[in-house]
């Protein structure tokens, strides 16, 4: 029995792929049949071992908040719903199939006292579902923990402000319940771990306050199954009562992301498994029912969930889908290509084009752009196209016969006007006789200067 207790299922491995960035959140339901993975690519992927084959593809993908990383996932006690915590200030609740049930309210960021706000005012850092009740615990960068009732998304049950050494706001980087739902733990950004016992009349003062538990941000806190040991992990490269943990890739190190197993009593390294040569291990879990180990990893280009199992020790889970190979296609297979009718393709339902495209389209329209007529480059005259050069038929025939000539195109306009100057001065006909009687006599100014005289 002692030998079996330390046997770790590490003989086989599969990888659940699909994310394009690091996988930072992981949740397995209590039966071990469904897996949730959240990534920095802003999406949550849902995997079902009973419905998957050896291709290991997710059956659903959801994006809780556009542009916000997924930071925590947690199943409800009955596994019919799950909690999704992102980098926004509002947590969301989904049903088992990935349909949105609601989101919690956001607080007013201009109210200084956090206890007077109706919700978080900064991005969330963690969250977990109560293992016994329909209540939820969330932690945030605004420096508070809050307890919510799932039946009411518009109000919160309790606001908890951790104890700090000096006034100010310090982010709460992680939080968790114990397995009975009677204790709350928060890992604070100043390196302290604070525990609250849920009892009548309890408040923000912690029952247990461990100062300087770590020298850096606390990334994860977990209770042991019997509730006697609290496990904590930090970015200060230390392990405090840790049994199973993942490591990150260091710049000048030859080893990649590792999964380390420690003895609970002696805190000695029992086993170490290499997960990836280039990516760090972010989240890890050891499911007690199916006896399989989960570890998430990734970088800026890809992300995945590694599942370690042993056919002789593990049950169901990955064993179900690995043995189910996809059907091979036959040459006799025939499938009618369906005709897809998309109502949004109609002009009535089509999205309005962008302003830039509207401007480009209007410039191509000669009426809307008020485009001038182009010059005539072929046979034509005066903007009109035709062999008669825009003239009447009679004029055209006279021009062709030499009886009518147009010389104004070859003359200088100034000379054409000045040739009538002498005739107009000697024999005025129009303008000069009209003003002859009323035209005043010109009077010239006489200069007083002697020199001019």
């Amino acid at each position: 029995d002692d030998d079996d207790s330390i046997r770790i299922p590490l003989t086989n491995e599969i990888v659940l792929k699909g994310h394009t960035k690091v996988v930072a959140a992981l949740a397995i339901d209590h039966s071990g049949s469904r897996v949730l993975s959240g990534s920095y690519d802003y999406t949550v992927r849902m995997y079902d071992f009973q419905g998957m084959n050896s291709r290991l593809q997710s059956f659903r993908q959801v994006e809780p908040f556009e542009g916000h990383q997924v930071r925590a996932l947690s199943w409800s006690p009955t596994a019919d719903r799950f909690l999704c915590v992102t980098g926004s200030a509002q947590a969301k609740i989904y049903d088992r199939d990935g349909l949105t049930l609601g989101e919690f309210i956001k607080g007013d960021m201009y109210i200084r006292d956090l206890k007077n706000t109706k919700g978080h005012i900064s991005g969330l850092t963690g969250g977990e579902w109560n293992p016994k009740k329909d209540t939820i615990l969330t932690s945030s960068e605004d420096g508070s923990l809050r307890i919510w009732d799932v039946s009411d998304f518009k109000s919160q049950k309790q606001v908890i402000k951790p104890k700090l050494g000096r006034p100010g706001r310090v982010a709460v980087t992680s939080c968790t319940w114990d397995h009975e739902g009677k204790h709350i733990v928060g890992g604070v950004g100043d390196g302290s771990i604070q525990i609250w016992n849920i009892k009548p009349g309890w408040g923000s003062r912690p029952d247990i306050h461990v100062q300087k538990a770590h020298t850096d941000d606390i990334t994860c806190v977990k209770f042991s199954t019997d509730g006697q040991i609290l496990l904590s992990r930090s970015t200060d490269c230390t392990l405090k009562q840790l049994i199973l943990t993942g490591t990150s890739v260091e710049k000048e190190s030859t080893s990649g992301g590792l999964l380390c197993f420690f003895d609970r009593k002696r805190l000695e390294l029992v086993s170490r498994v290499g997960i990836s040569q280039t990516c760090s291990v972010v989240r890890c879990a050891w499911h007690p029912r199916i006896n399989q180990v989960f570890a998430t990893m990734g970088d800026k280009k890809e992300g995945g969930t590694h599942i370690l199992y042993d056919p002789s020790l593990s049950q169901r889970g990955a064993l179900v889908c690995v043995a189910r190979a996809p059907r091979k296609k036959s040459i006799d297979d025939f499938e009618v290509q369906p005709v897809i009718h998309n109502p949004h393709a109609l002009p009535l339902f089509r999205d309005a084009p962008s302003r830039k495209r509207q401007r480009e389209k209007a410039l191509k329209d000669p009426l809307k752009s008020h485009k001038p007529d182009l010059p005539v480059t072929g046979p034509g005259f005066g903007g009109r196209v035709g062999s008669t050069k825009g003239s009447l038929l009679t004029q055209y025939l006279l021009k062709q016969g030499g009886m009518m000539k147009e010389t104004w195109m070859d003359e200088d306009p100034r000379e054409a006007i000045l040739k009538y100057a002498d005739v107009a001065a000697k024999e005025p006909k129009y303008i000069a006789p009209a003003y002859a009687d009323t035209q005043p006599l010109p009077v010239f100014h006489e200069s007083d200067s002697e020199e001019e005289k």
Side-chain angles (χ1 to χ4, degrees):
D1 294 338
D2 295 339
D3 294 338
D4 293 339
S5 61
I6 62 173
R7 291 182 63 184
I8 304 173
L10 303 176
T11 59
N12 298 68
E13 180 183 8
I14 63 173
V15 183
L16 304 179
K17 296 182 179 180
H19 290 289
T20 57
K21 290 186 179 180
V22 60
V23 181
L26 175 68
I28 308 103
D29 69 346
H30 309 294
S31 62
S33 61
R34 285 202 173 178
V35 179
L36 303 175
S37 64
S39 171
Y40 279 11
D41 62 3
Y42 319 132
T43 62
V44 175
R45 287 186 176 267
M46 305 178 66
Y47 301 89
D48 188 2
F49 287 130
Q50 303 298 328
M52 280 196 305
N53 52 27
S54 58
R55 293 178 180 174
L56 306 178
Q57 295 179 347
S58 60
F59 72 91
R60 177 154 293 180
Q61 175 183 352
V62 296
E63 185 175 356
F65 281 93
E66 184 179 358
H68 289 284
Q69 303 167 349
V70 181
R71 296 183 175 178
L73 296 166
S74 179
W75 285 99
S76 66
T78 56
D80 61 338
R81 294 163 293 176
F82 67 88
L83 166 70
C84 179
V85 174
T86 63
S88 67
Q90 297 172 270
K92 272 192 174 182
I93 302 294
Y94 291 87
D95 66 358
R96 186 174 176 83
D97 295 326
L99 301 178
T100 306
L101 298 178
E103 63 180 7
F104 295 102
I105 192 172
K106 183 180 180 180
D108 189 352
M109 61 182 299
Y110 296 103
I111 299 178
R112 184 167 183 80
D113 191 357
L114 295 177
K115 287 193 173 182
N116 295 329
T117 58
K118 297 181 179 180
H120 288 293
I121 61 175
S122 299
L124 302 177
T125 58
E128 191 173 6
W129 205 301
N130 190 317
K132 299 295 182 181
K133 300 179 182 180
D134 277 344
T135 54
I136 286 173
L137 173 67
T138 57
S139 59
S140 172
E141 296 173 353
D142 60 10
S144 67
L145 296 99
R146 297 172 193 260
I147 300 177
W148 306 82
D149 191 347
V150 180
S151 60
D152 186 7
F153 293 100
K154 299 298 182 181
S155 63
Q156 58 197 0
K157 294 183 63 177
Q158 184 76 19
V159 181
I160 307 170
K161 295 173 61 177
K163 183 180 179 181
L164 302 176
R166 56 183 180 180
R169 289 183 182 178
V170 179
V172 181
T173 56
S174 58
C175 63
T176 188
W177 298 88
D178 69 336
H179 290 275
E180 297 298 326
K182 297 180 179 179
H183 304 280
I184 293 174
V185 182
V188 190
D190 59 1
S192 65
I193 296 177
Q194 303 183 28
I195 304 176
W196 293 267
N197 299 329
I198 299 179
K199 54 189 176 182
W202 69 287
S204 295
R205 180 177 293 276
D207 296 283
I208 300 176
H209 184 197
V210 183
Q211 296 182 355
K212 298 181 181 180
H214 292 277
T215 59
D216 210 334
D217 290 344
I218 300 173
T219 57
C220 183
V221 286
K222 288 289 182 183
F223 270 104
S224 60
T225 307
D226 56 7
Q228 300 298 319
I229 296 179
L230 176 64
L231 317 174
S232 64
R233 180 181 66 181
S234 173
T235 55
D236 61 1
C237 302
T238 61
L239 313 175
K240 301 296 177 69
Q241 298 292 329
L242 202 57
I243 308 301
L244 168 65
T245 184
T247 64
S248 59
V249 179
E250 297 183 4
K251 293 183 178 180
E252 299 180 356
S253 177
T254 57
S255 61
L258 304 175
L259 197 62
C260 302
F261 299 83
F262 289 81
D263 182 80
R264 171 175 171 173
K265 297 179 180 179
R266 295 173 295 178
L267 295 180
E268 296 178 355
L269 182 65
V270 176
S271 178
R272 184 172 59 192
V273 181
I275 300 298
S276 174
Q277 291 292 331
T278 58
C279 301
S280 303
V281 177
V282 182
R283 294 283 182 181
C284 56
W286 192 342
H287 200 281
R289 181 169 294 185
I290 61 177
N291 195 20
Q292 296 176 15
V293 180
F294 297 77
T296 67
M297 43 69 67
D299 53 14
K300 295 182 179 180
K301 298 181 180 179
E302 62 176 351
T305 303
H306 291 246
I307 303 177
L308 305 177
Y309 64 96
D310 190 336
S312 60
L313 300 176
S314 305
Q315 300 177 2
R316 301 188 305 275
L319 294 173
V320 178
C321 59
V322 170
R324 189 183 296 124
R327 177 184 175 276
K328 295 182 180 180
K329 290 187 177 181
S330 173
I331 58 175
D332 298 327
D333 291 349
F334 173 75
E335 183 179 356
V336 178
Q337 297 296 331
V339 179
I340 301 175
H341 299 278
N342 187 3
H344 294 284
L346 299 175
L348 178 63
F349 301 99
R350 193 174 300 161
D351 295 336
S354 63
R355 293 183 178 179
K356 182 178 179 181
R357 292 187 177 181
Q358 288 181 346
R359 288 196 300 268
E360 293 177 352
K361 188 176 180 180
L363 289 174
K364 295 179 180 179
D365 189 351
L367 296 178
K368 293 183 179 180
S369 61
H370 303 287
K371 185 177 180 180
D373 294 334
L374 296 176
V376 179
T377 58
F381 184 78
R384 298 180 182 180
V385 179
S387 59
T388 61
K389 297 184 179 181
S391 60
L392 299 176
L393 179 60
T394 305
Q395 296 175 348
Y396 176 72
L397 294 175
L398 292 174
K399 291 177 184 177
Q400 294 295 327
M403 299 177 65
M404 181 177 178
K405 295 183 180 180
E406 289 186 357
T407 59
W408 61 271
M409 291 291 294
D410 301 328
E411 291 181 342
D412 185 17
R414 185 173 180 275
E415 295 179 355
I417 296 174
L418 291 178
K419 70 181 181 179
Y420 298 102
D422 297 339
V423 179
K426 294 179 181 179
E427 299 178 2
K429 294 182 179 181
Y430 302 106
I431 301 176
Y435 293 96
D437 298 336
T438 60
Q439 189 72 13
L441 296 175
V443 178
F444 299 99
H445 174 70
E446 296 180 1
S447 177
D448 296 335
S449 176
E450 296 181 355
E451 296 178 358
E452 293 181 358
K453 292 181 180 179

